[in-house]
Amino acid sequence: MPEEAYTLVRVMDKLLLFLYSIVVGAASIGLFCLGLRWIPEESALDGMRSLYDGDIAWIQLTAVIFAVVMFLISLRLFFISVKRSGGSAQSIDQRNELGEVRISMETVENLALKAASKQRGLKDLRARIKVSEAGLDIVIRTVVDGDTPIPTLTEEIQRSVKSHIEEITGIPVASVSVFVANVVQAPAFKSRVE
């Protein structure tokens, strides 16, 4: 499934879950109010009778449509909850004369982090990998110590990550982007004067 379609499905699932949560929450509040008798018995009975009276057909139709929609949303959410996520782990698949090789995205991320962590002055490293037609697009997020010039440091990270991943996996790296999120504040030491 293309990345855009997968993202759209995830957004729709989140929207369905949101709507379902709102309806279940409203129904819970209604039952809570009925249980504490905050809604008069006569009002509750009148509401139920209006569903069974043939005089107001639009209320019956609305109730049926609402029930069907809620049932379909329930089925979708049930399907999502029991779907095996382990079988669809993202990987990079390569084929050679001996067979197929699959390298998980997590493996590539860990290799990128290993290569980047060899540079001094980095903290809180994170990596994100995307597969493009030209190869891998790697984004490294880090916090630096501020002692090494950032252009020099980021260039070394880019070279190190690119060469390490290409050497270990054999997968071409299209780009390595480095995002410097912050500079670590060195702890202030008070000098002792005696």
Side-chain angles (χ1 to χ4, degrees), residues 13 74-88:
D13 288 342
S74 297
L75 285 178
R76 174 66 184 158
L77 294 176
F78 177 75
F79 172 73
I80 291 169
S81 69
V82 298
K83 181 174 66 170
R84 271 192 334 145
S85 61
S88 63

Side-chain angles (χ1 to χ4, degrees), residues 11 15 17 32 57 62 75 87 155 167 179:
V11 168
L15 179 64
L17 182 59
F32 180 78
T62 303
L75 285 178
E155 192 173 315
E167 178 184 335
F179 173 64

Side-chain angles (χ1 to χ4, degrees), residues 2 45 53 59 86 92 97 112 125 138 188 191:
L45 290 174
D53 288 344
I59 292 178
I92 301 164
E97 65 276 356
L125 277 166
I138 302 169
S191 61

Side-chain angles (χ1 to χ4, degrees), residues 29 47 69 90 99 154 180:
I29 291 171
V69 168
Q90 289 188 334
T154 55
V180 178

Side-chain angles (χ1 to χ4, degrees), residues 85-149:
S85 61
S88 63
Q90 289 188 334
S91 65
I92 301 164
D93 303 338
Q94 295 178 318
R95 191 142 184 86
N96 60 27
E97 65 276 356
L98 300 175
E100 184 177 317
V101 177
R102 296 180 69 196
I103 302 173
S104 73
M105 296 297 276
E106 185 178 0
T107 300
V108 178
E109 285 177 4
N110 288 332
L111 288 170
L113 290 173
K114 181 178 180 179
S117 66
K118 291 179 182 175
Q119 306 301 317
R120 291 178 168 228
L122 300 178
K123 305 251 185 221
D124 192 27
L125 277 166
R126 296 182 193 165
R128 189 176 340 158
I129 312 293
K130 288 187 180 177
V131 179
S132 68
E133 301 226 356
L136 298 176
D137 292 322
I138 302 169
V139 178
I140 302 288
R141 180 198 179 279
T142 189
V143 175
V144 297
D145 65 3
D147 293 335
T148 308

Side-chain angles (χ1 to χ4, degrees), residues 8-81:
L8 182 63
V9 168
R10 284 181 32 205
V11 168
M12 289 302 296
D13 288 342
K14 286 183 180 182
L15 179 64
L16 288 175
L17 182 59
F18 174 76
L19 292 173
Y20 196 77
S21 300
I22 294 291
V23 170
V24 169
S28 300
I29 291 171
L31 286 174
F32 180 78
C33 292
L34 282 173
L36 293 178
R37 297 183 183 253
W38 290 351
I39 298 175
E41 182 181 348
E42 194 58 40
S43 296
L45 290 174
D46 285 344
M48 290 302 293
R49 279 191 210 106
S50 66
L51 286 175
Y52 292 103
D53 288 344
D55 298 339
I56 311 175
W58 68 270
I59 292 178
Q60 291 172 334
L61 181 63
T62 303
V64 169
I65 291 172
F66 182 75
V68 168
V69 168
M70 290 306 294
F71 180 72
L72 292 174
I73 291 174
S74 297
L75 285 178
R76 174 66 184 158
L77 294 176
F78 177 75
F79 172 73
I80 291 169
S81 69

